[in-house]
Amino acid sequence: MKAQREKLNKDCKVVPGKMALPNQYFAGRVGSKFIISLRDSRKILGVRCPECSKVYVPPLEYCEKDMTRIAENWVELGNEGLITNYTVVNYNDRHLPRKAPYILAMIKLDKADTPLVHIVEGIEGGQVKIGMRVKAVFSDKTTNTIRDIDHFEPVQD
Ligand SMILES: [Zn+2]
């Protein structure tokens, strides 16, 4: 077996390569309603667990804490929230949504308990802070994805 493998390695030419693999998947009923609301109403929806009151955005079908089915308990969230964490992306890759550098942040919307990951613009990477207040800026053209929110930007006091 070992000898066979060694012979195969010796006789086979191996060409290293990288694959780009575009793919699509169904966002699910809950995920679809979330995206359609962004696209058609420019409203960010979450779901509230009737057991523990936790509000999830992006919405989930079941509560992570108590496994209660929460899919139809929709709540409308505002467009503003706080940055709870962030990173500055410093490399370019054609699969990334922006040219580097750009800020990718976890944003907890005001009535939500879970953060949404999105791009923050209108501020330099060195100026972004945890606790900073930001608001959603919707895209002019729909892509039928989470990118219908184009980015978040700091709210001026
Ligand atoms: Zn719950």
Side-chain angles (χ1 to χ4, degrees):
M1 189 71 176
K2 192 181 171 211
Q4 201 177 14
R5 196 178 314 123
E6 279 169 4
K7 181 174 172 12
L8 197 67
N9 287 344
K10 198 171 125 265
D11 293 343
C12 291
K13 178 167 172 45
V14 176
V15 182
K18 278 189 180 175
M19 270 195 284
L21 195 60
N23 69 92
Q24 289 188 315
Y25 67 95
F26 176 48
R29 210 163 40 83
V30 173
S32 295
K33 180 161 176 163
F34 173 70
I35 297 293
I36 289 166
S37 172
L38 291 180
R39 184 191 69 196
D40 296 348
S41 319
R42 298 192 159 198
K43 285 185 173 138
I44 305 171
L45 298 181
V47 285
R48 174 181 283 121
C49 175
E51 276 304 306
C52 68
S53 297
K54 191 169 176 179
V55 175
Y56 292 90
V57 64
L60 296 179
E61 193 133 4
Y62 292 89
C63 178
E64 284 180 347
K65 216 166 131 188
D66 46 52
M67 295 308 290
T68 304
R69 188 161 192 282
I70 52 176
E72 295 306 324
N73 293 307
W74 294 97
V75 285
E76 192 183 317
L77 305 170
N79 293 348
E80 291 189 14
L82 300 177
I83 292 178
T84 62
N85 213 335
Y86 67 91
T87 189
V88 179
V89 178
N90 276 311
Y91 69 98
N92 286 307
D93 186 289
R94 64 197 180 100
H95 302 293
L96 296 176
R98 293 287 193 276
K99 266 208 169 339
Y102 68 94
I103 301 162
L104 201 57
M106 293 174 84
I107 297 155
K108 197 173 82 58
L109 296 172
D110 289 339
K111 292 183 207 162
D113 293 301
T114 60
L116 188 70
V117 176
H118 220 294
I119 297 159
V120 175
E121 288 185 350
I123 187 170
E124 295 297 318
Q127 296 173 302
V128 64
K129 297 229 170 3
I130 289 173
M132 185 173 266
R133 192 155 188 82
V134 289
K135 68 172 180 203
V137 176
F138 287 87
S139 175
D140 293 335
K141 272 177 81 178
T142 182
T143 52
N144 223 1
T145 68
I146 185 70
R147 303 268 315 276
D148 278 17
I149 299 173
D150 188 70
H151 62 272
F152 281 78
E153 66 181 20
V155 174
Q156 307 301 332
D157 293 315

PDB file of all heavy atoms in Angstrom, residues 49-54 56 63-68 70, ligand 1:
ATOM      1  N   CYS A  49     -38.028  36.427  21.453  1.00  0.00           N
ATOM      2  CA  CYS A  49     -38.417  35.168  22.081  1.00  0.00           C
ATOM      3  C   CYS A  49     -39.503  35.444  23.120  1.00  0.00           C
ATOM      4  O   CYS A  49     -39.297  36.274  24.015  1.00  0.00           O
ATOM      5  CB  CYS A  49     -37.210  34.513  22.747  1.00  0.00           C
ATOM      6  SG  CYS A  49     -37.658  33.032  23.670  1.00  0.00           S
ATOM      7  N   PRO A  50     -40.669  34.763  23.033  1.00  0.00           N
ATOM      8  CA  PRO A  50     -41.736  34.985  24.011  1.00  0.00           C
ATOM      9  C   PRO A  50     -41.381  34.438  25.398  1.00  0.00           C
ATOM     10  O   PRO A  50     -41.957  34.852  26.396  1.00  0.00           O
ATOM     11  CB  PRO A  50     -42.934  34.246  23.412  1.00  0.00           C
ATOM     12  CG  PRO A  50     -42.363  33.246  22.481  1.00  0.00           C
ATOM     13  CD  PRO A  50     -41.031  33.782  22.017  1.00  0.00           C
ATOM     14  N   GLU A  51     -40.418  33.518  25.467  1.00  0.00           N
ATOM     15  CA  GLU A  51     -39.997  32.942  26.748  1.00  0.00           C
ATOM     16  C   GLU A  51     -39.055  33.854  27.520  1.00  0.00           C
ATOM     17  O   GLU A  51     -39.281  34.156  28.681  1.00  0.00           O
ATOM     18  CB  GLU A  51     -39.280  31.609  26.506  1.00  0.00           C
ATOM     19  CG  GLU A  51     -40.176  30.402  26.364  1.00  0.00           C
ATOM     20  CD  GLU A  51     -41.109  30.191  27.548  1.00  0.00           C
ATOM     21  OE1 GLU A  51     -40.643  30.123  28.712  1.00  0.00           O
ATOM     22  OE2 GLU A  51     -42.321  30.104  27.277  1.00  0.00           O
ATOM     23  N   CYS A  52     -37.989  34.292  26.867  1.00  0.00           N
ATOM     24  CA  CYS A  52     -36.938  35.036  27.586  1.00  0.00           C
ATOM     25  C   CYS A  52     -36.808  36.487  27.113  1.00  0.00           C
ATOM     26  O   CYS A  52     -35.963  37.220  27.620  1.00  0.00           O
ATOM     27  CB  CYS A  52     -35.605  34.313  27.458  1.00  0.00           C
ATOM     28  SG  CYS A  52     -34.940  34.327  25.789  1.00  0.00           S
ATOM     29  N   SER A  53     -37.618  36.889  26.120  1.00  0.00           N
ATOM     30  CA  SER A  53     -37.647  38.264  25.599  1.00  0.00           C
ATOM     31  C   SER A  53     -36.401  38.687  24.826  1.00  0.00           C
ATOM     32  O   SER A  53     -36.259  39.849  24.462  1.00  0.00           O
ATOM     33  CB  SER A  53     -37.894  39.289  26.713  1.00  0.00           C
ATOM     34  OG  SER A  53     -39.145  39.060  27.282  1.00  0.00           O
ATOM     35  N   LYS A  54     -35.489  37.758  24.601  1.00  0.00           N
ATOM     36  CA  LYS A  54     -34.284  38.103  23.845  1.00  0.00           C
ATOM     37  C   LYS A  54     -34.669  38.429  22.399  1.00  0.00           C
ATOM     38  O   LYS A  54     -35.474  37.731  21.787  1.00  0.00           O
ATOM     39  CB  LYS A  54     -33.306  36.918  23.900  1.00  0.00           C
ATOM     40  CG  LYS A  54     -31.921  37.250  23.386  1.00  0.00           C
ATOM     41  CD  LYS A  54     -30.942  36.122  23.710  1.00  0.00           C
ATOM     42  CE  LYS A  54     -29.588  36.447  23.091  1.00  0.00           C
ATOM     43  NZ  LYS A  54     -28.576  35.443  23.369  1.00  0.00           N
ATOM     44  N   TYR A  56     -33.432  38.832  18.581  1.00  0.00           N
ATOM     45  CA  TYR A  56     -32.371  38.406  17.671  1.00  0.00           C
ATOM     46  C   TYR A  56     -32.423  39.152  16.348  1.00  0.00           C
ATOM     47  O   TYR A  56     -33.476  39.249  15.723  1.00  0.00           O
ATOM     48  CB  TYR A  56     -32.507  36.911  17.348  1.00  0.00           C
ATOM     49  CG  TYR A  56     -32.240  35.988  18.503  1.00  0.00           C
ATOM     50  CD1 TYR A  56     -33.269  35.595  19.353  1.00  0.00           C
ATOM     51  CD2 TYR A  56     -30.963  35.493  18.739  1.00  0.00           C
ATOM     52  CE1 TYR A  56     -33.030  34.733  20.413  1.00  0.00           C
ATOM     53  CE2 TYR A  56     -30.718  34.633  19.794  1.00  0.00           C
ATOM     54  CZ  TYR A  56     -31.746  34.254  20.628  1.00  0.00           C
ATOM     55  OH  TYR A  56     -31.506  33.404  21.666  1.00  0.00           O
ATOM     56  N   CYS A  63     -34.909  30.194  19.541  1.00  0.00           N
ATOM     57  CA  CYS A  63     -34.108  30.902  20.536  1.00  0.00           C
ATOM     58  C   CYS A  63     -32.897  30.040  20.909  1.00  0.00           C
ATOM     59  O   CYS A  63     -33.046  28.857  21.201  1.00  0.00           O
ATOM     60  CB  CYS A  63     -34.948  31.186  21.782  1.00  0.00           C
ATOM     61  SG  CYS A  63     -34.010  32.010  23.085  1.00  0.00           S
ATOM     62  N   GLU A  64     -31.724  30.631  20.912  1.00  0.00           N
ATOM     63  CA  GLU A  64     -30.500  29.888  21.244  1.00  0.00           C
ATOM     64  C   GLU A  64     -30.448  29.509  22.715  1.00  0.00           C
ATOM     65  O   GLU A  64     -29.749  28.600  23.107  1.00  0.00           O
ATOM     66  CB  GLU A  64     -29.266  30.745  20.931  1.00  0.00           C
ATOM     67  CG  GLU A  64     -28.948  30.815  19.474  1.00  0.00           C
ATOM     68  CD  GLU A  64     -27.724  31.665  19.178  1.00  0.00           C
ATOM     69  OE1 GLU A  64     -27.275  32.402  20.078  1.00  0.00           O
ATOM     70  OE2 GLU A  64     -27.239  31.583  18.045  1.00  0.00           O
ATOM     71  N   LYS A  65     -31.196  30.250  23.543  1.00  0.00           N
ATOM     72  CA  LYS A  65     -31.140  30.039  24.989  1.00  0.00           C
ATOM     73  C   LYS A  65     -32.068  28.919  25.447  1.00  0.00           C
ATOM     74  O   LYS A  65     -31.676  28.058  26.206  1.00  0.00           O
ATOM     75  CB  LYS A  65     -31.553  31.348  25.664  1.00  0.00           C
ATOM     76  CG  LYS A  65     -30.823  31.669  26.934  1.00  0.00           C
ATOM     77  CD  LYS A  65     -31.061  33.111  27.317  1.00  0.00           C
ATOM     78  CE  LYS A  65     -31.473  33.210  28.759  1.00  0.00           C
ATOM     79  NZ  LYS A  65     -31.900  34.570  29.112  1.00  0.00           N
ATOM     80  N   ASP A  66     -33.322  28.955  24.962  1.00  0.00           N
ATOM     81  CA  ASP A  66     -34.312  27.998  25.463  1.00  0.00           C
ATOM     82  C   ASP A  66     -35.001  27.184  24.365  1.00  0.00           C
ATOM     83  O   ASP A  66     -35.939  26.450  24.641  1.00  0.00           O
ATOM     84  CB  ASP A  66     -35.364  28.731  26.314  1.00  0.00           C
ATOM     85  CG  ASP A  66     -35.854  29.987  25.625  1.00  0.00           C
ATOM     86  OD1 ASP A  66     -36.257  29.907  24.452  1.00  0.00           O
ATOM     87  OD2 ASP A  66     -35.807  31.060  26.255  1.00  0.00           O
ATOM     88  N   MET A  67     -34.525  27.318  23.117  1.00  0.00           N
ATOM     89  CA  MET A  67     -35.029  26.543  21.981  1.00  0.00           C
ATOM     90  C   MET A  67     -36.510  26.779  21.658  1.00  0.00           C
ATOM     91  O   MET A  67     -37.144  25.983  20.981  1.00  0.00           O
ATOM     92  CB  MET A  67     -34.766  25.036  22.177  1.00  0.00           C
ATOM     93  CG  MET A  67     -33.290  24.677  22.192  1.00  0.00           C
ATOM     94  SD  MET A  67     -32.375  25.328  20.769  1.00  0.00           S
ATOM     95  CE  MET A  67     -33.016  24.321  19.446  1.00  0.00           C
ATOM     96  N   THR A  68     -37.083  27.866  22.146  1.00  0.00           N
ATOM     97  CA  THR A  68     -38.458  28.212  21.811  1.00  0.00           C
ATOM     98  C   THR A  68     -38.516  28.631  20.340  1.00  0.00           C
ATOM     99  O   THR A  68     -37.618  29.322  19.870  1.00  0.00           O
ATOM    100  CB  THR A  68     -38.935  29.400  22.680  1.00  0.00           C
ATOM    101  OG1 THR A  68     -38.773  29.036  24.047  1.00  0.00           O
ATOM    102  CG2 THR A  68     -40.382  29.766  22.400  1.00  0.00           C
ATOM    103  N   ILE A  70     -39.339  30.971  17.618  1.00  0.00           N
ATOM    104  CA  ILE A  70     -39.577  32.411  17.695  1.00  0.00           C
ATOM    105  C   ILE A  70     -39.821  33.036  16.332  1.00  0.00           C
ATOM    106  O   ILE A  70     -40.014  34.236  16.224  1.00  0.00           O
ATOM    107  CB  ILE A  70     -38.377  33.134  18.368  1.00  0.00           C
ATOM    108  CG1 ILE A  70     -37.057  32.744  17.681  1.00  0.00           C
ATOM    109  CG2 ILE A  70     -38.338  32.838  19.836  1.00  0.00           C
ATOM    110  CD1 ILE A  70     -35.850  33.482  18.219  1.00  0.00           C
TER     111      ILE A  70
HETATM  112 ZN    ZN B   1     -35.657  32.508  24.612  1.00  0.00          ZN
END
